[in-house]
């Protein structure tokens, strides 16, 4: 069998066993970092030459070799040797194979410790922008459905019990705002991810006269990190991303949970599109909301990734420890999962049919106008707490008589309070309960459009940011490989 090559043969005699090398390899996971690793090396090499640490000839050879490898990586044709420890080792050996000794000079003034931290940050920047776009697509789909639903009346729930009537538009926009905070959290995480640890070297910095601001700039980072120990040990940005993904997954699971039980015959509020449903192998009549269930179900794995990274970081002493190699497994999995869930949720939300008659009919049951009736009495001067008690008695009467509040006669109401007069029938219709809630953020069709304009301007701002960052990084990378 071909020997495994390592980067540290000098100190070792017999060396590690085959099992140890297999066990300690991260290549199966970190091959995703290939392009970022090559870009990072291009920046590092350019800086070494600029600082007079590499000769012009070595600098040129290294750059040319790295560009060849970069091309191959972009084509998916980088000849990765599965027996090497990681992508960094792979790229260094490949470079040396192409250009000879000069390749072995690239690792001057840096360590894999700062190299891997830099690569993961570069990968994550792109990953965050991708996730933000996926969340924004779902936000957009929710807003579209919401704007067509401002006049669809449904029961609003607390404790899954009928509470007060609302509009479907209002309900969908509440989901929109949950997701809107997710995008903000991802953007915030982006800021802290966009800091360069390159040049922290193994842990203590380096004796070479390197220029960390220059490499940070070349790689599109906001700035170099201030402390080299922090630079190689910080994985907060990984934990932050997975937390943001977990909370986003929790939000998706709530949305899906509602769609799932709303599609049950007992609710009948929605009809899931066949495109996002599957059948049963035994019950021919079945159409199950499996996509929504799986999005709900995969939340568990994402929270698992969060637990994974936090437990990995817990009680780690400074600075680099091999435990940190495990960060990528959790990070890559969380990213892949949240993105596919978002990409499935978006067309699912867009295609779901809402049954407005069922929703309105449900809103007429369960005394959703009881608060309005208490407010009516309070408006006539009765302290609200007393008004609450009066209406509570009226509700109990209605339950006994199998009536709705709006079906009581003025005489029946008069038995509970002498403050009732004919105008009470103006406020009791369910539609009035909705229309009259015009307070800011309220459910009235008049109050909701403000949310659309606010939501749209937030989306525009976030979209501009993503585009600007994409262009900026693209420009930086193009200059590196030019
Ligand atoms: N494969 C390692 C990782 O992903 C690279 C860094 C190795 N550094 C070390 N000192 N062994 O973390």
């Amino acid at each position: 069998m071909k020997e495994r090559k390592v980067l540290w043969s000098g100190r070792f005699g017999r060396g590690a066993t085959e099992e140890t090398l297999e066990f300690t390899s991260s290549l199966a996971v970190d091959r995703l970092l290939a392009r970022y690793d090559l870009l990072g090396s291009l920046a590092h090499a350019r800086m070494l030459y600029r600082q007079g640490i590499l000769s012009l000839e070595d600098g040129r050879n290294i750059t040319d070799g790295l560009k060849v490898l970069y091309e191959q990586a972009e084509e998916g044709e980088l000849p990765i040797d599965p027996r090497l420890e990681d992508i960094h080792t792979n790229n260094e050996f490949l470079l040396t194979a192409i250009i000879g000794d000069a390749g072995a000079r690239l690792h001057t003034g840096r360590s894999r410790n700062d190299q891997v931290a830099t690569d993961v940050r570069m990968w994550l920047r792109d990953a965050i922008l991708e996730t933000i776009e996926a969340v924004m697509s779902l936000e957009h789909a929710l807003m579209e459905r919401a704007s067509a639903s401002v006049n669809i009346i449904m029961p609003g729930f607390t404790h899954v019990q009928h509470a007060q009537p609302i509009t479907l538009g209002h309900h969908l926009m509440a989901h929109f705002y949950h997701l809107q905070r997710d995008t903000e959290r991802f953007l915030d995480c982006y800021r802290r991810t966009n800091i360069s640890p390159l040049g922290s070297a193994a842990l203590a910095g380096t004796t070479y006269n390197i220029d960390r601001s220059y490499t940070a700039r070349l790689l599109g980072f906001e700035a170099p990190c201030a402390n080299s120990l922090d630079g190689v040990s910080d994985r907060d940005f990984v934990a932050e991303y997975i937390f943001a993904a977990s909370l986003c997954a929790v939000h998706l699971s709530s949305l899906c949970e509602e769609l799932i039980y709303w599609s049950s015959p007992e609710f009948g509020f929605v009809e899931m599109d066949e495109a996002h449903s599957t059948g049963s192998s035994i019950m021919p009549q079945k159409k199950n909301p499996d996509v929504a269930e799986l999005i709900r179900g995969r939340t568990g794995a994402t929270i698992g990734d969060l637990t994974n990274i936090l437990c990995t970081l817990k009680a780690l002493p400074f600075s680099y420890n091999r435990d940190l190699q495990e960060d990528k497994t959790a990070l890559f999995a969380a990213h892949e999962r949240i993105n596919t869930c978002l990409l499935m949720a978006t067309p699912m939300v867009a295609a779901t049919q809402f049954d407005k008659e069922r929703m309105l009919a449900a809103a007429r049951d369960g005394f959703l106008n009881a608060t309005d009736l208490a407010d009516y009495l309070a408006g006539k001067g009765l302290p609200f707490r007393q008004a609450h008690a009066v209406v509570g008695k009226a509700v109990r009467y209605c339950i006994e008589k199998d009536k709705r509040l709006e079906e009581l006669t003025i005489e029946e109401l008069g038995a509970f309070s002498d403050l009732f007069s004919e105008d009470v029938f103006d406020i009791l219709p369910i539609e009035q309960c909705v229309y009259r809630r015009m307070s800011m953020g309220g459910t009235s069709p008049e109050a909701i459009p403000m949310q659309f304009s606010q939501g749209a301007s937030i989306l525009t701002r976030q979209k501009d940011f993503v585009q600007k960052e994409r262009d900026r990084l693209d420009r930086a990378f193009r200059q590196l490989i030019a």
Side-chain angles (χ1 to χ4, degrees):
M1 199 196 313
K2 197 171 120 214
E3 276 234 338
R4 279 179 188 264
K5 291 187 285 182
V6 295
L7 291 169
W8 53 80
S9 49
R11 188 227 184 278
F12 281 73
R14 268 179 298 125
T17 62
E18 180 70 17
E19 290 74 19
T20 298
L21 294 176
E22 174 85 45
F23 182 73
T24 53
S25 171
S26 56
L27 190 55
V29 176
D30 65 24
R31 57 204 308 153
L32 279 187
L33 299 178
R35 85 185 281 260
Y36 303 102
D37 192 66
L38 293 162
L39 290 165
S41 290
L42 277 163
H44 182 65
R46 187 180 284 200
M47 181 277 293
L48 290 178
Y49 161 68
R50 189 167 181 257
Q51 295 297 101
I53 302 167
L54 274 185
S55 70
L56 174 62
E57 201 194 341
D58 283 342
R60 257 202 203 129
N61 282 334
I62 291 175
T63 307
D64 290 347
L66 287 171
K67 284 180 191 168
V68 171
L69 297 178
Y70 184 82
E71 289 282 305
Q72 292 177 337
E74 291 298 84
E75 300 297 316
E77 285 164 4
L78 193 68
I80 290 176
D81 180 349
R83 294 172 48 79
L84 295 177
E85 178 186 324
D86 55 26
I87 192 67
H88 325 292
T89 311
N90 189 85
N91 286 344
E92 190 178 318
F93 278 133
L94 282 177
L95 180 68
T96 311
I98 306 178
I99 65 167
D101 268 359
R105 294 222 162 85
L106 171 63
H107 211 57
T108 309
R110 88 172 173 186
S111 154
R112 275 183 305 156
N113 298 351
D114 57 339
Q115 194 179 348
V116 67
T118 305
D119 293 359
V120 175
R121 284 172 184 268
M122 288 170 70
W123 178 89
L124 186 53
R125 280 190 311 200
D126 283 348
I128 293 174
L129 297 178
E130 199 187 333
T131 306
I132 290 174
E133 275 192 329
V135 185
M136 286 196 307
S137 298
L138 178 55
E139 286 176 85
H140 198 262
L142 280 166
M143 189 140 78
E144 293 253 291
R145 300 308 307 265
S147 61
S149 313
V150 283
N151 288 306
I152 299 181
I153 293 175
M154 62 175 277
F157 299 89
T158 61
H159 313 268
V160 204
Q161 304 295 320
H162 282 202
Q164 292 172 347
I166 56 170
T167 62
L168 178 60
H170 192 220
H171 188 99
L172 294 175
M173 282 309 283
H175 283 296
F176 170 92
Y177 279 104
H178 271 62
L179 293 168
Q180 193 275 311
R181 284 191 299 280
D182 290 327
T183 41
E184 289 293 326
R185 252 183 296 276
F186 284 118
L187 285 168
D188 203 39
C189 170
Y190 186 89
R191 272 196 313 118
R192 278 180 291 276
T193 302
N194 196 20
I195 297 292
S196 171
L198 191 59
S200 296
L203 72 163
T206 172
T207 53
Y208 293 98
N209 177 30
I210 60 172
D211 185 345
R212 295 192 51 214
S213 300
Y214 182 61
T215 46
R217 195 153 17 97
L218 288 178
L219 295 171
F221 284 110
E222 173 88 36
C225 67
N227 181 306
S228 61
L229 284 179
D230 180 43
V232 295
S233 51
D234 172 24
R235 294 294 186 279
D236 290 0
F237 59 99
V238 175
E240 278 187 52
Y241 175 83
I242 305 179
F243 171 72
S246 297
L247 195 49
C248 183
V250 167
H251 292 154
L252 293 185
S253 77
S254 292
L255 172 65
C256 287
E257 165 73 0
E258 286 181 349
L259 293 177
I260 291 162
Y261 73 76
W262 285 6
S263 68
S264 73
E266 283 71 21
F267 268 83
F269 285 5
V270 305
E271 179 76 30
M272 303 294 279
D273 198 89
E274 283 188 10
H276 312 105
S277 309
T278 59
S280 157
S281 62
I282 173 169
M283 297 167 281
Q285 85 285 12
K286 293 279 271 170
K287 190 183 114 198
N288 298 324
D290 293 42
V291 169
E293 289 174 291
L294 283 169
I295 295 173
R296 183 180 63 180
R298 286 181 192 166
T299 310
T302 306
I303 295 169
D305 290 326
L306 180 61
T307 309
N308 178 344
I309 186 68
L310 291 175
C311 290
T312 302
L313 298 179
K314 177 189 172 292
L316 269 195
F318 282 157
S319 59
Y320 180 83
N321 298 276
R322 195 62 183 269
D323 316 44
L324 291 175
Q325 179 170 294
E326 299 302 291
D327 63 349
K328 291 170 280 297
T329 312
L331 178 61
F332 294 172
H335 169 256
E336 169 74 22
R337 199 179 307 101
I338 194 68
N339 275 23
T340 44
C341 287
L342 286 163
L343 294 180
M344 289 306 293
T346 301
M348 184 180 75
V349 163
T352 296
Q353 292 303 315
F354 295 97
D355 187 334
K356 57 182 183 193
E357 278 78 32
R358 281 289 290 226
M359 288 180 152
L360 180 61
R364 295 202 190 285
D365 287 334
F367 310 104
L368 291 151
N369 46 4
T371 312
D372 295 71
L373 194 56
D375 284 342
Y376 168 89
L377 291 174
K380 301 260 168 175
L382 194 64
F384 183 80
R385 191 52 55 221
Q386 289 170 31
H388 185 290
V390 168
V391 176
K393 285 186 191 132
V395 166
R396 201 156 83 201
Y397 173 84
C398 283
I399 293 170
E400 278 161 20
K401 300 280 173 200
D402 193 21
K403 279 186 154 190
R404 294 177 172 145
L405 286 167
E406 60 272 34
E407 289 166 354
L408 297 177
T409 62
I410 192 70
E411 290 73 26
E412 284 174 301
L413 283 167
F416 298 102
S417 166
D418 51 19
L419 291 172
F420 288 119
S421 53
E422 283 295 333
D423 59 355
V424 72
F425 297 108
D426 297 339
I427 61 103
L428 278 175
I430 291 301
E431 290 79 357
Q432 286 308 315
C433 301
V434 169
Y435 298 154
R436 294 176 67 244
R437 281 188 164 66
M438 281 183 291
S439 56
M440 191 203 158
T443 202
S444 158
E446 274 183 55
I448 298 177
M450 184 222 104
Q451 300 183 30
F452 297 140
S453 49
Q454 190 198 47
S457 77
I458 295 170
L459 280 184
T460 306
R461 174 168 54 75
Q462 292 172 340
K463 203 167 146 213
D464 287 351
F465 177 85
V466 169
Q467 196 51 51
K468 219 179 78 236
E469 279 304 291
R470 280 246 166 85
D471 293 346
R472 201 179 61 75
L473 295 177
D474 201 51
R475 245 179 287 123
F477 294 168
R478 263 189 285 120
Q479 276 173 17
L480 271 174
I481 54 167

Tab-separated table of all heavy atoms in Angstrom, residues 24 26 30 85-86 88 111-113 116 235 320 322 324-325 327-328, ligand 1:
chain	number	residue	atom	x	y	z
A	24	THR	N	-7.075	10.522	12.593
A	24	THR	CA	-6.854	11.960	12.782
A	24	THR	C	-7.111	12.784	11.511
A	24	THR	O	-7.022	14.006	11.548
A	24	THR	CB	-5.402	12.225	13.250
A	24	THR	OG1	-4.506	11.584	12.328
A	24	THR	CG2	-5.157	11.691	14.650
A	26	SER	N	-8.940	14.797	8.597
A	26	SER	CA	-10.187	15.572	8.452
A	26	SER	C	-10.517	15.789	6.984
A	26	SER	O	-11.429	16.541	6.657
A	26	SER	CB	-10.047	16.927	9.158
A	26	SER	OG	-8.921	17.639	8.665
A	30	ASP	N	-13.009	18.424	5.296
A	30	ASP	CA	-12.514	19.772	4.968
A	30	ASP	C	-12.124	19.950	3.501
A	30	ASP	O	-11.689	21.035	3.115
A	30	ASP	CB	-11.386	20.201	5.926
A	30	ASP	CG	-10.132	19.351	5.812
A	30	ASP	OD1	-9.899	18.748	4.760
A	30	ASP	OD2	-9.375	19.320	6.807
A	85	GLU	N	-3.771	14.062	5.520
A	85	GLU	CA	-4.485	14.450	6.737
A	85	GLU	C	-5.624	15.423	6.486
A	85	GLU	O	-6.715	15.287	7.037
A	85	GLU	CB	-3.526	15.081	7.757
A	85	GLU	CG	-4.280	15.523	9.008
A	85	GLU	CD	-3.423	16.290	9.984
A	85	GLU	OE1	-2.234	15.965	10.115
A	85	GLU	OE2	-3.955	17.209	10.623
A	86	ASP	N	-5.347	16.437	5.681
A	86	ASP	CA	-6.388	17.449	5.477
A	86	ASP	C	-6.150	18.178	4.161
A	86	ASP	O	-5.176	17.913	3.453
A	86	ASP	CB	-6.454	18.425	6.663
A	86	ASP	CG	-5.105	19.084	6.972
A	86	ASP	OD1	-4.270	19.197	6.046
A	86	ASP	OD2	-4.881	19.474	8.137
A	88	HIS	N	-5.278	21.180	3.662
A	88	HIS	CA	-4.096	22.060	3.688
A	88	HIS	C	-2.844	21.270	3.299
A	88	HIS	O	-2.023	21.726	2.507
A	88	HIS	CB	-3.936	22.689	5.075
A	88	HIS	CG	-5.240	22.992	5.737
A	88	HIS	ND1	-6.085	23.964	5.260
A	88	HIS	CD2	-5.877	22.404	6.790
A	88	HIS	CE1	-7.188	23.971	6.006
A	88	HIS	NE2	-7.082	23.034	6.929
A	111	SER	N	0.972	28.835	10.008
A	111	SER	CA	0.776	27.502	10.557
A	111	SER	C	-0.553	26.998	10.026
A	111	SER	O	-1.378	27.800	9.561
A	111	SER	CB	0.733	27.615	12.081
A	111	SER	OG	-0.015	26.567	12.637
A	112	ARG	N	-0.765	25.690	10.112
A	112	ARG	CA	-2.102	25.241	9.735
A	112	ARG	C	-3.155	25.778	10.706
A	112	ARG	O	-4.324	25.831	10.386
A	112	ARG	CB	-2.154	23.712	9.675
A	112	ARG	CG	-1.693	23.182	8.325
A	112	ARG	CD	-1.825	21.704	8.274
A	112	ARG	NE	-1.104	21.094	9.377
A	112	ARG	CZ	-1.369	19.902	9.896
A	112	ARG	NH1	-2.343	19.177	9.404
A	112	ARG	NH2	-0.660	19.417	10.885
A	113	ASN	N	-2.701	26.171	11.892
A	113	ASN	CA	-3.673	26.656	12.877
A	113	ASN	C	-4.355	27.949	12.434
A	113	ASN	O	-5.565	28.092	12.554
A	113	ASN	CB	-2.996	26.848	14.241
A	113	ASN	CG	-2.456	25.540	14.786
A	113	ASN	OD1	-2.741	24.477	14.221
A	113	ASN	ND2	-1.685	25.599	15.864
A	116	VAL	N	-6.286	27.107	8.872
A	116	VAL	CA	-7.615	26.486	8.904
A	116	VAL	C	-8.657	27.481	9.419
A	116	VAL	O	-9.777	27.557	8.897
A	116	VAL	CB	-7.614	25.166	9.710
A	116	VAL	CG1	-7.361	25.370	11.188
A	116	VAL	CG2	-8.932	24.421	9.540
A	235	ARG	N	-13.610	30.026	17.850
A	235	ARG	CA	-14.610	29.426	16.961
A	235	ARG	C	-15.998	29.945	17.323
A	235	ARG	O	-17.007	29.332	17.008
A	235	ARG	CB	-14.594	27.898	17.060
A	235	ARG	CG	-13.320	27.232	16.562
A	235	ARG	CD	-13.109	27.397	15.062
A	235	ARG	NE	-11.962	26.646	14.584
A	235	ARG	CZ	-10.686	27.038	14.659
A	235	ARG	NH1	-10.388	28.228	15.171
A	235	ARG	NH2	-9.718	26.281	14.204
A	320	TYR	N	-4.666	26.496	20.080
A	320	TYR	CA	-5.208	25.462	19.199
A	320	TYR	C	-5.157	24.104	19.892
A	320	TYR	O	-4.144	23.738	20.503
A	320	TYR	CB	-4.433	25.386	17.874
A	320	TYR	CG	-4.996	24.303	16.957
A	320	TYR	CD1	-6.095	24.564	16.150
A	320	TYR	CD2	-4.462	23.018	16.954
A	320	TYR	CE1	-6.648	23.571	15.350
A	320	TYR	CE2	-5.005	22.021	16.154
A	320	TYR	CZ	-6.100	22.301	15.356
A	320	TYR	OH	-6.656	21.320	14.577
A	322	ARG	N	-6.548	19.978	19.007
A	322	ARG	CA	-7.032	19.211	17.858
A	322	ARG	C	-8.546	19.038	17.864
A	322	ARG	O	-9.166	18.791	16.831
A	322	ARG	CB	-6.324	17.860	17.806
A	322	ARG	CG	-6.468	17.131	16.481
A	322	ARG	CD	-5.852	17.923	15.325
A	322	ARG	NE	-6.062	17.244	14.061
A	322	ARG	CZ	-5.229	16.367	13.528
A	322	ARG	NH1	-4.082	16.120	14.112
A	322	ARG	NH2	-5.501	15.769	12.393
A	324	LEU	N	-10.562	21.164	17.853
A	324	LEU	CA	-11.151	22.184	16.971
A	324	LEU	C	-11.389	21.677	15.555
A	324	LEU	O	-12.194	22.235	14.817
A	324	LEU	CB	-10.263	23.443	16.947
A	324	LEU	CG	-10.242	24.246	18.260
A	324	LEU	CD1	-9.256	25.395	18.170
A	324	LEU	CD2	-11.643	24.779	18.577
A	325	GLN	N	-10.689	20.629	15.198
A	325	GLN	CA	-10.910	20.032	13.875
A	325	GLN	C	-12.372	19.600	13.702
A	325	GLN	O	-12.877	19.553	12.590
A	325	GLN	CB	-9.975	18.821	13.708
A	325	GLN	CG	-10.113	18.094	12.386
A	325	GLN	CD	-8.997	17.078	12.202
A	325	GLN	OE1	-7.838	17.450	12.075
A	325	GLN	NE2	-9.342	15.811	12.194
A	327	ASP	N	-14.999	21.142	14.504
A	327	ASP	CA	-15.957	22.235	14.272
A	327	ASP	C	-16.653	22.136	12.919
A	327	ASP	O	-17.831	22.435	12.778
A	327	ASP	CB	-15.256	23.602	14.413
A	327	ASP	CG	-14.143	23.818	13.371
A	327	ASP	OD1	-13.758	22.860	12.667
A	327	ASP	OD2	-13.648	24.966	13.284
A	328	LYS	N	-15.883	21.668	11.930
A	328	LYS	CA	-16.416	21.702	10.564
A	328	LYS	C	-17.540	20.699	10.342
A	328	LYS	O	-18.466	20.964	9.573
A	328	LYS	CB	-15.277	21.461	9.571
A	328	LYS	CG	-14.298	22.631	9.515
A	328	LYS	CD	-13.034	22.326	8.715
A	328	LYS	CE	-12.020	21.522	9.486
A	328	LYS	NZ	-11.474	22.220	10.695
B	1	LIG	N1	-6.705	19.267	10.213
B	1	LIG	C1	-6.545	20.290	11.198
B	1	LIG	C2	-7.881	20.980	11.526
B	1	LIG	O1	-8.777	20.919	10.750
B	1	LIG	C3	-5.588	21.310	10.718
B	1	LIG	C4	-4.810	21.971	11.803
B	1	LIG	C5	-3.860	21.045	12.358
B	1	LIG	N2	-3.021	21.684	13.301
B	1	LIG	C6	-2.338	20.980	14.202
B	1	LIG	N3	-1.614	21.629	15.028
B	1	LIG	N4	-2.371	19.665	14.202
B	1	LIG	O2	-8.024	21.566	12.574
